[in-house]
Structure formats: structure tokens, C-alpha cells
Amino acid sequence: MRTKGGDFIWFDGQFVKWEEATVPVTTHALHYGTSVFEGIRAYPSKNNLHIFRLREHMERLRRSASIYSIRVDYTASELEDAAIALLKKNGIKESCYIRPMAFVGQHGIDLNVTTRSPTHAVILVFPFAKYFREEGINACISTWRRINDSSTPPMAKAAGNYLNSILATQECNRNGYHESVMLDLYGNVSEAPGENIFVVRDNKIYTPHVGCSALDGITRDTAIIIARSLGYDVIERPISRTELYMANEIFLTGTAAEITAIVNLDGRAVGNGKEGNITNQVRVTYSKIVSAEITKYSGWLTPVW
């Protein structure tokens, strides 16, 4: 964090002042990346603040932790309650980002992490608005391949996985792009460094299935449900690099990115070089859902106040 978020952080069941939420330099997660996390958004409505798909995020945090035998001493429900209480403690009523984490503490320097290893759970929150430009972004195909399930589980939202994403992001930024698109080990489209990807061709929507080293994203799932409710076919399958250049539209999905169009890829305009109609429909519907304007999906929203 470059700047301070809320005044308090939830740390192992207690509210701790932001400046006092510290760990020893010998913390195992600092040395070996033994940490899992989530990114969750909360949005203001006319009379409340709603956390989007809170239960699904907390359940995925626990699943990610289980892959690495990182013990989480709190149920999904307890973590949900902690997140709500933290927002209230900090008096937050604006658009914000919630970051829960579970990590290995004073385990020692060996790598044999087990469910008996000491662990910690943390939730922090900070104000957050737009991550990317609403009008769309420029992207490039990264030369760095996405991690593969044969070496590191891509479906676990583990901190160490994002070293791979950092390399791809550094590369695209050096070359003047906003974001990159990563291919999997076999050369098929996987995802962006922090987002899932969708391709629109001939009024059909395609997205890589999770077997292409893609994270099983919660915003990805949301976009699929929205698109199908709008009457579009959504097909999960391998997507070749060339299909990106032939796409009518391309968009990314993620907690931070929400729904963001890629309007230029590798210096080539995607479609007419502007956000496409289908992307716009999905994005606008998503915005209405998270701000509690569409009651059909109210089950995805957890009120804070």
C-alpha cells in the first residue's frame, strides 16, 4: 500500500490500528510467498454500501489456502462478519476495496508447511474507484507465459502466483501498453495478469476454460451469467492467439478492473477501436447490479449499514 486505507485493520480477530498491524521479518510468507488472498469490492447505493459476492470470495480464500495446507482458523461466515464489522469500524460508505489474506507466520525456514504451521488472517480496506479507463485500454501479448498447473496451481489465488503477473505487467508498461494478455504453456490465450479475458466474434462470446491456466474468477462468472441473461451464447474453450486479432470485441473482467474493453491489441484496433456494443451491455448491467439498481441479483449484495 502506498497510502493508508482505513484507520483499522482486522488482524486475527481483533481490530488493530493501521500503523500497528505489523509482522516480524522472519514471517514465512515474506520469505516464501506462503500467502493467499482475495480482492473484494463494495459499492455505494442510494442508501447503503453493498459488498459484492462476499460469500464466494471468502469461500475461495479458504479453498486457495487448503491447496497449500495453509490453515484458516475462521469460517467463511466469520470472515464475512469480520469484513462487515471492519467497514463499520472505519466508517466507510464510499466505493472501496477489501483485501482478506491468510498467511504462514513464524514457521521457520523449512518448506514443509502443514495445517499445524502457525498462520494469520488479515482483512484490510481502502477507498477505491476506477482501475482502468472506462473507454477502454491498449494491450499487448506478453512474451511471458502464464503459470501452468503442472508446476503451480493457477486456480489458487496465491500471492506467489503474481510474480508471473508482475513480469507481464512490467513488460507491457515498458512498451507503452496499459495491460498484457498472457498465453498458457501451449500457446492458447489464458488471461491478463490480474483479469480474465473474453472474446466476442459474430455475436458469440468466448472465454478460456480454467484448463487454460485461467483463474476461476468470480467477476468472470458474473460476466458469464450477465451475458447469458442478455441472450448471448457464452462458450468456454481454448482460444488461439490469432482469434484475438480477428475479434470484434475483447474485454477483461476482474474485481479491480470490473468490465474493461481492450480496444487495441498489439497496435491493431479491436473492432472499430472503441468499446463494443456487447461489452457495453455487460459493463452497464454489471454497474447496475453492484450499485443495487437491479433487484434480480440482490443475493450477490451484502449490505453494510
Side-chain angles (χ1 to χ4, degrees):
M1 293 292 299
R2 292 183 179 180
T3 57
K4 178 179 176 180
D7 290 332
F8 295 94
I9 287 175
W10 183 88
F11 199 130
D12 287 342
Q14 303 293 323
F15 292 115
V16 180
K17 289 183 179 179
W18 180 279
E19 298 83 0
E20 297 173 4
T22 59
V23 296
V25 294
T26 49
T27 298
H28 197 269
L30 183 62
H31 293 257
Y32 298 115
T34 44
S35 170
V36 295
F37 69 95
E38 281 295 321
I40 310 172
R41 290 286 290 269
Y43 296 87
S45 63
K46 291 181 180 179
N47 56 8
N48 212 322
L49 181 74
H50 291 93
I51 307 173
F52 185 63
R53 301 193 72 170
L54 177 60
R55 168 54 62 95
E56 291 91 334
H57 280 287
M58 292 309 190
E59 288 179 340
R60 187 173 65 179
L61 178 77
R62 289 177 52 82
R63 288 197 301 271
S64 294
S66 70
I67 291 174
Y68 287 98
S69 296
I70 297 173
R71 190 184 72 257
V72 180
D73 291 327
Y74 302 90
T75 66
S77 293
E78 289 171 332
L79 293 170
E80 290 175 58
D81 291 342
I84 295 167
L86 180 65
L87 289 171
K88 289 181 176 178
K89 181 74 172 177
N90 284 301
I92 293 180
K93 297 184 178 182
E94 63 186 303
S95 178
C96 63
Y97 189 101
I98 304 162
R99 170 54 56 85
M101 299 174 60
F103 61 94
V104 179
Q106 297 286 74
H107 171 85
I109 64 168
D110 71 82
L111 302 178
N112 187 31
V113 171
T114 71
T115 54
R116 296 185 300 276
S117 300
T119 59
H120 301 280
V122 174
I123 306 175
L124 57 91
V125 60
F126 49 90
F128 194 84
K130 290 294 180 184
Y131 187 66
F132 285 130
R133 306 183 312 172
E134 192 171 274
E135 62 268 29
I137 61 172
N138 302 326
C140 65
I141 305 294
S142 176
T143 61
W144 293 99
R145 295 294 175 96
R146 169 77 171 151
I147 55 174
N148 182 265
D149 201 50
S150 61
S151 58
T152 306
M155 289 183 67
K157 199 168 176 66
N161 289 3
Y162 286 80
L163 288 171
N164 178 233
S165 298
I166 286 169
L167 290 169
T169 300
Q170 290 172 333
E171 179 184 43
C172 78
N173 289 165
R174 281 196 304 267
N175 293 325
Y177 296 93
H178 299 114
E179 188 60 296
S180 63
V181 174
M182 303 181 75
L183 308 180
D184 68 12
L185 183 64
Y186 307 103
N188 292 313
V189 177
S190 179
E191 61 174 44
E195 304 86 28
N196 290 109
I197 187 167
F198 289 77
V199 177
V200 179
R201 290 186 62 198
D202 302 324
N203 284 323
K204 291 185 178 181
I205 305 173
Y206 302 91
T207 191
H209 59 59
V210 293
C212 295
S213 295
L215 181 71
D216 193 8
I218 292 169
T219 313
R220 171 186 183 270
D221 177 67
T222 302
I224 291 172
I225 292 171
I226 290 172
R228 287 174 175 162
S229 75
L230 293 170
Y232 295 105
D233 291 331
V234 182
I235 299 100
E236 300 176 63
R237 65 163 175 79
I239 297 172
S240 69
R241 174 176 181 165
T242 306
E243 286 185 82
L244 295 179
Y245 299 134
M246 299 174 66
N248 303 118
E249 303 175 35
I250 303 173
F251 64 90
L252 304 178
T253 65
T255 295
E258 301 171 294
I259 312 295
T260 299
I262 292 179
V263 297
N264 187 287
L265 181 69
D266 285 344
R268 308 162 183 250
V270 177
N272 63 4
K274 298 179 180 180
E275 179 189 60
N277 178 58
I278 293 176
T279 302
N280 177 265
Q281 290 180 62
V282 175
R283 179 178 62 79
V284 170
T285 304
Y286 179 86
S287 296
K288 289 181 178 179
I289 289 171
V290 299
S291 58
E293 295 178 43
I294 300 178
T295 57
K296 177 181 177 181
Y297 299 101
S298 60
W300 282 344
L301 304 179
T302 301
V304 174
W305 300 98

